Structures are given as C-alpha cells and as structure tokens.
Amino acid sequence: MTTNPPGAKPAYSIRIHVPAPAAATVAAVVADAPGTITVHADESDPAGDRRITLDADGGPTLRWLLSALRQRLGADLLLAEDLVFAAASTGKLVQRAYAATPTSHDLALSDADADRRVIDYLTDHPRHVDRVTGRSRRVALLTDASAVLDFEPLAPEAALPAVESQALHLHLATGLDVVPLPVAARDPADLATAIGLLAPGFAATVLVHTHLHRVDAARAALACDTHLLLDTVNDGLAVAATAAVLGYLRARGVSPGRARVAVVDPARGGDLAGLLVAVGVGDLTLYDPVEYGIRALHRLAADLDLIVDLIGLAAPPEGVFVLRARPETPPPLAAASSGPRPLHALPGLLRAAVTTRRPITVAARVAAVHALVAATPPDALLPALDHPRLAPAVAAAAIEVLTAGR
C-alpha cells in the first residue's frame, strides 16, 4: 500500500484537464498557494491535453485552488473534478448478474415456473436456503447513523457515503456481496426489529457507525435469534487494539502477565477490556476521564507500560506509549500498521461466521487477536491491511475455535 507525500490529503483532491501549454500556469498557481498543494499525477491524454491530479492540505486550500485556477486559466480549464464526490457518486459498489441470460432457455431458469420449483422445495427443506439460494454470500451492512465518525447523529441517508465505503472494503477483503443499508431506527428496539425483518435475505448482519449502547441493546433483543450479528467495535476495533497491545509488549520484551495497561474511557471499546484480560494482561486499569479528570492519569503514567486512548486525549502523559484507538478517528488506511482499524479483524471474523453459521464468541476473537499478532512484522504494531493472507488467517483461526465443539 503506497503512502501519500507529506502534506497531501487525498480527501481534498481535484483532477483537472488543461491544454498542454497551460501546465505552466497550473504550476504557477500551485507555487502561489497559501497552503500545501501536491501534484499527485500529471499525465497526457491521447489528444495531447494534460490530466493533473492535485491534493490540497485541507478545505480552505482546496477552495482557494479552485478559485485561482478558474481565474487564471479561464477557458483553458477544460474540466475540474472533485475526486471525493466523483468516487461517492458511483456508489462504490455495483450489482452484477450471476445467472446466465443470453438465451430463452437461460431466462426460463429464472422465471416463475423455475421459482415455484425451488420455493416448493424450500417449504419442505427450510434449512437448505443457503444451499439453493445466494443468501450464503450476501451480508447486510446496517447503520442507524447514530455514530458516524465525529458527527452528531445523522439522518440515515446522510450516512450512506461512509457505509458504502465500509461495504467496499469488506467486499474486497471477503469476496462477499456486502449491501449498505442505512435504516431509520428511532431506538434500539427499532434497530433490532429492522435486523430481524432483513435477516431472511442475508447470511449475516454487520452493524457499522452505530452507537455501542444500541449495538448492545440490539444484540440482547436478538439473543434468541439464529441470525448472525457482528459489529465493527466488538468484532473489529477491540480485536485489533488488543493485538496492537500484544505487539507493542512483544517488541518491548514485556510479557502480558507483567504488563501494566490503562484503557482510557473503556466504555467506547466494547469488549476490549475483556479481551485484554483474556489474552493475559496482568494489570489492567479502566480509567474514566470524565470522573477522574486528566491529572490522575498523568500521576499513574510512570507506573504504566502502555495507555490505550479511546477518547482522543488532547494532552496525553509523556514518557509512556499511547495507543490511539478512538473509534471516531481511525488512522488512514495506508498507516493502519501503526494503529488499529476494524478492517484488521472484521473481514476474517465475518468470513468465519458465514462459513460455520455460528456466532462469533470471545474465544474466536481471542484466536483472531493471536492471528493478527502472528502476521505482524517486528517493526509494526499490526499487519498492513493489504496483507494478502490477513483475512484468511484470521478466518482460519476463528473457524478452528468455532468448530472445535462439533
């Protein structure tokens, strides 16, 4: 996974088309910019025009850049395209047909008479749905838009870009058909109802960008249901953060049983504290910054090996390593080897759940932790997200645990 140049922020990128002679004017505009602008790519098209991709360091610089280019280039600015909105407007995923349809015989296999045969079979063999339909490869990615990045609760449709991005990443990592589904749920009971109503059409549901207390309430409401339910905190971030803790301790030569670890604002981490205990961390402090303030944490720091920061401390203690794992502000995908993201563990655990048709257990999460640690290079906290065997290794470890009791 390639890294971006310092100062470059691809989230503030434009692609422009200009005649070849106008490239000098573009360079002059970039040189005059009040902020940092990086030329990400500069190519010629078949007509001899230049296609230039420019990354700004933020919104104000990007707005200045667009205004300056329009003013200085005039009609020579053949096209200016904001790449973030270009990517979002595609939906990021598309549906494609699996069934062949070129002949009338092929079409008849997806017509009413054929459907009647399959439905008639399923009325007598209801457990065979996954074998005779596409449900086994289909996953619902649900959000109620209650916890989307750093935003306050949103209208469900406003969360769609973030859900589509997560669907894209899960699809690429698992090969499953992941369907982004923002739902209008007023409370956890509504969310549980939506999951239950959608369950017949999906092998599993993953909750994303949903407040943790709603996730917990939905799980409790569906406890007697056979539908598989995962979420990006318990089955993603908590597992990755635990692996990062073990990776850091391993690099420092500190055994987990002798380690002293503090988790700041543990309620944000879902099962993180339980996983840290399960992997053998001997001394665990659950620190509530609202109740105790920041000074007490600074006093504790000298006796700690590591702090897991789930809230985003503005002034963390010095002299102790701080693992930043705030769910609302994940590290860039390209830098995920130095900070946890749900995508480290979630794709593998999702694949394990779908394969075994069993819910993810604490033991399966612990197995995923150790799989992540085993795949981590000595100079990193976590493996890179583009590691080709990452999801399969996590899935294999979890599957072994989930099927051990059979």
Side-chain angles (χ1 to χ4, degrees):
M1 188 176 292
T2 59
T3 59
N4 298 300
K9 291 188 177 179
Y12 299 93
S13 293
I14 59 169
R15 179 181 293 127
I16 62 172
H17 290 199
V18 297
T25 303
V26 174
V29 170
V30 170
D32 290 341
T36 301
I37 296 174
T38 302
V39 179
H40 177 77
D42 187 348
E43 304 167 331
S44 296
D45 65 17
D49 295 332
R50 300 282 280 276
R51 293 176 297 182
I52 304 173
T53 302
L54 301 166
D55 294 347
D57 60 9
T61 303
L62 182 63
R63 288 190 291 273
W64 178 92
L65 175 63
L66 281 167
S67 176
L69 288 172
R70 289 176 180 137
Q71 182 179 7
R72 302 269 300 268
L73 289 171
D76 281 343
L77 184 58
L78 305 176
L79 175 69
E81 181 182 39
D82 190 313
L83 295 185
V84 162
F85 286 91
S89 64
T90 65
K92 298 174 186 172
L93 290 173
V94 296
Q95 188 178 45
R96 66 184 180 91
Y98 274 76
T101 57
T103 70
S104 60
H105 189 275
D106 294 326
L107 286 172
L109 297 178
S110 296
D111 211 342
D113 285 344
D115 292 342
R116 286 191 184 94
R117 281 199 61 208
V118 179
I119 292 169
D120 190 46
Y121 174 83
L122 287 176
T123 58
D124 294 328
H125 305 86
R127 294 182 180 273
H128 293 185
V129 173
D130 288 337
R131 184 166 70 82
V132 301
T133 73
R135 185 177 72 172
S136 62
R137 63 172 182 267
R138 193 178 304 123
V139 174
L141 189 65
L142 243 67
T143 183
D144 63 1
S146 58
V148 183
L149 304 175
D150 280 318
F151 294 98
E152 295 296 323
L154 299 170
E157 57 270 21
L160 192 52
V163 188
E164 287 178 335
S165 290
Q166 293 300 308
L168 171 66
H169 295 313
L170 273 182
H171 168 71
L172 293 174
T174 64
L176 296 168
D177 296 333
V178 184
V179 183
L181 293 169
V183 295
R186 294 169 297 179
D187 52 41
D190 269 2
L191 181 60
T193 298
I195 295 169
L197 290 172
L198 291 166
F202 295 92
T205 295
V206 178
L207 288 173
V208 61
H209 296 310
T210 298
H211 198 287
L212 197 54
H213 80 80
R214 290 192 166 210
V215 172
D216 293 339
R219 282 186 183 276
L222 294 164
C224 297
D225 203 322
T226 58
H227 186 60
L228 301 173
L229 179 63
L230 294 85
D231 72 88
T232 54
V233 177
N234 293 294
D235 301 301
L237 182 71
V239 177
T242 302
V245 168
L246 290 186
Y248 175 78
L249 295 176
R250 180 181 66 176
R252 296 292 299 273
V254 179
S255 68
R258 296 177 53 202
R260 298 158 299 177
V261 178
V263 179
V264 179
D265 206 2
R268 292 175 179 264
D271 197 29
L272 174 60
L275 287 176
L276 290 171
V277 172
V279 299
V281 171
D283 187 335
L284 184 63
T285 300
L286 304 182
Y287 191 88
D288 184 346
V290 176
E291 183 173 354
Y292 298 113
I294 193 63
R295 291 184 179 178
L297 181 63
H298 280 254
R299 289 195 294 269
L300 285 173
D303 297 321
L304 297 173
D305 294 295
L306 180 147
I307 293 173
V308 182
D309 175 19
L310 294 169
I311 197 172
L313 295 170
E318 296 181 358
V320 59
F321 179 74
V322 178
L323 175 66
R324 295 190 178 274
R326 187 169 185 260
E328 296 87 352
T329 54
L333 287 164
S337 58
S338 62
R341 287 194 69 133
L343 288 167
H344 280 108
L346 182 60
L349 288 175
L350 176 59
R351 175 55 79 181
V354 170
T355 299
T356 63
R357 299 300 304 153
R358 293 191 172 195
I360 297 301
T361 62
V362 172
R365 292 171 183 155
V366 171
V369 169
H370 290 301
L372 288 177
V373 173
T376 301
D379 58 346
L381 292 179
L382 288 160
L385 289 178
D386 60 353
H387 189 302
R389 293 292 301 164
L390 181 58
V394 172
I399 288 171
E400 183 177 358
V401 169
L402 294 174
T403 58
R406 285 186 175 176

